[in-house]
Amino acid sequence: MATSGSDAGGIVWADGLCKKYGKTEALSQLSFSVDEGEIYSIIGPDGAGKTTLFRILTTLLLPDEGKAGVDGLDVVADYRDIRRRIGYMPGRFSLYQDLSVEENLKFFASVFNTTVEENYALVADIYRQIEPFKDRRAGKLSGGMKQKLALCCALIHAPRVLFLDEPTTGVDPVSRREFWTMLKKLRDEHGLTVLVSTPYMDEASWCDRISLMQGGRFMQTDTPVGIVEAYADRLFAVMAADMHGLMTGLKACPLVATSFSFGAAYHVTLVPGATPDALRSWLTAKGYAEVGITEISPSVEDCFMALMKTSEK
Ligand code: ADP
């Protein structure tokens, strides 16, 4: 029975969540709400607080303050009922390494008093890809295969909401893409709500909405397009013959507001009134050769860096 109701209106919501480990504030007054059928991603680096949040939402950890709910139930009062309605794929261990693919799946089904056959339709597409290895021990599977099996195991009791904590960390780019395609299909064909955490900013485009997380807070929540559109500055990719030395030049330049290393270039914003031509002249006068400055569109990572800078002030 629902004891809390969802004031925030979403199938998953949190209101003023706080969690400390000693002096470390892992979650700080965190509030948000996820709509039914959304693919919602929490993106942030190591230590941002993603696992702590997921462990509270999946009823494995108690918050110090605040409230949260899943599917109309309270994470503290209704923890038993919530566990039946959610699938949780934790970041690290979730499979029994010594059990075969098939045994793992049967085991997870039995925990929820169901059978693989009963909910097979939900996992059929994914299971077909690992079926050739069904007798292999989980510990002997490749990263991508392990991830698919873990997803099947998290789905086998037909949950309403899926929580995936860094499911693509350490997985090769092709398997990562396949994984996101599977999540989209699960949402489209079975109406599942999916919460995913990831440190990879380039995965934002797969999601309906994202929250950029750092230091136990959400710095910004929006659609991936909305996040990028809210970027306020002009952004430039700057290169020179001596890329290593260029960083020193950019840090010393009074025309530069921010500069970060991004792949083969530095991404740079300028102080008010400064122009790219002025930057080029300044760098050239300092002896940098082959200076190239191109205005570029920001990525989610650029937005993240800009938000970090703002929150540092
Ligand atoms: P993420 O999943 O984004 O890497 P975590 O939720 O694991 O973030 O961690 C958030 C912060 O809380 C980090 O500073 C981490 O070191 C700290 N932390 C997490 N779990 C514990 C714990 N059991 N004991 C002490 N500190 C912890």
Side-chain angles (χ1 to χ4, degrees):
M1 196 186 78
T3 57
S4 64
S6 152
D7 296 341
I11 189 166
V12 179
W13 61 272
D15 186 10
L17 279 187
C18 294
K19 182 74 192 177
K20 276 189 180 173
Y21 300 104
K23 285 187 178 158
T24 306
E25 206 169 11
L27 294 183
S28 175
Q29 287 293 333
L30 197 101
S31 302
F32 77 115
S33 170
V34 179
D35 293 334
E36 191 163 355
E38 263 193 309
I39 297 181
Y40 191 109
S41 189
I42 294 158
I43 304 184
D46 270 358
K50 306 181 296 296
T51 300
T52 302
L53 175 62
F54 273 37
R55 289 178 68 79
I56 290 174
L57 294 174
T58 54
T59 79
L60 301 173
L61 189 68
L62 292 170
D64 297 335
E65 282 174 43
K67 288 181 84 64
V70 178
D71 203 14
L73 300 170
D74 182 276
V75 291
V76 179
D78 309 315
Y79 72 96
R80 279 177 199 279
D81 289 331
I82 286 185
R83 287 179 189 180
R84 273 186 226 116
R85 296 190 194 190
I86 61 169
Y88 176 43
M89 198 171 136
R92 291 201 176 85
F93 172 78
S94 71
L95 299 168
Y96 290 89
Q97 309 288 317
D98 287 339
L99 295 185
S100 71
V101 166
E102 202 172 25
E103 286 166 342
N104 263 289
L105 200 56
K106 279 187 178 163
F107 171 77
F108 280 94
S110 70
V111 167
F112 289 98
N113 281 328
T114 184
T115 59
V116 175
E117 292 71 29
E118 195 172 348
N119 296 316
Y120 188 69
L122 194 57
V123 299
D125 275 350
I126 310 162
Y127 192 67
R128 245 176 252 126
Q129 300 172 47
I130 45 176
E131 202 165 16
F133 313 100
K134 67 180 168 35
D135 297 321
R136 190 176 289 185
R137 285 183 185 190
K140 300 279 179 207
L141 294 173
S142 69
M145 289 289 165
K146 266 190 195 154
Q147 179 209 44
K148 282 174 189 153
L149 175 58
L151 181 60
C152 285
C153 292
L155 282 169
I156 200 60
H157 59 294
R160 302 234 316 130
V161 184
L162 201 52
F163 290 90
L164 309 170
D165 194 4
E166 297 201 15
T168 53
T169 296
V171 175
D172 67 85
V174 175
S175 299
R176 275 170 61 190
R177 177 171 285 272
E178 277 176 14
F179 193 75
W180 281 101
T181 308
M182 285 186 275
L183 295 187
K184 281 238 183 243
K185 225 169 157 204
L186 284 168
R187 189 275 302 278
D188 293 345
E189 293 177 5
H190 301 280
L192 230 72
T193 305
V194 186
L195 262 82
V196 195
S197 73
T198 177
Y200 300 123
M201 311 268 163
D202 61 340
E203 294 187 336
S205 60
W206 291 99
C207 309
D208 298 313
R209 278 195 303 153
I210 57 175
S211 287
L212 299 180
M213 187 174 198
Q214 172 70 351
R217 299 166 193 269
F218 286 173
M219 298 188 293
Q220 197 177 2
T221 296
D222 205 335
T223 60
V225 170
I227 295 261
V228 168
E229 280 178 356
Y231 189 87
D233 281 317
R234 291 176 74 192
L235 185 68
F236 301 94
V238 181
M239 297 173 85
D242 172 14
M243 284 301 284
H244 188 65
L246 181 60
M247 180 44 107
T248 315
L250 290 169
K251 292 276 179 222
C253 178
L255 304 172
V256 170
T258 63
S259 59
F260 304 106
S261 170
F262 268 73
Y266 292 104
H267 284 193
V268 170
T269 60
L270 301 177
V271 297
T275 63
D277 281 345
L279 174 61
R280 188 192 314 276
S281 302
W282 192 93
L283 288 170
T284 306
K286 291 286 175 193
Y288 290 97
E290 298 170 41
V291 173
I293 303 178
T294 316
E295 185 158 3
I296 53 168
S297 302
S299 64
V300 169
E301 198 164 350
D302 292 304
C303 299
F304 191 93
M305 297 304 264
L307 288 164
M308 291 261 289
K309 203 80 194 161
T310 311
S311 62
E312 274 169 18
K313 280 177 188 163

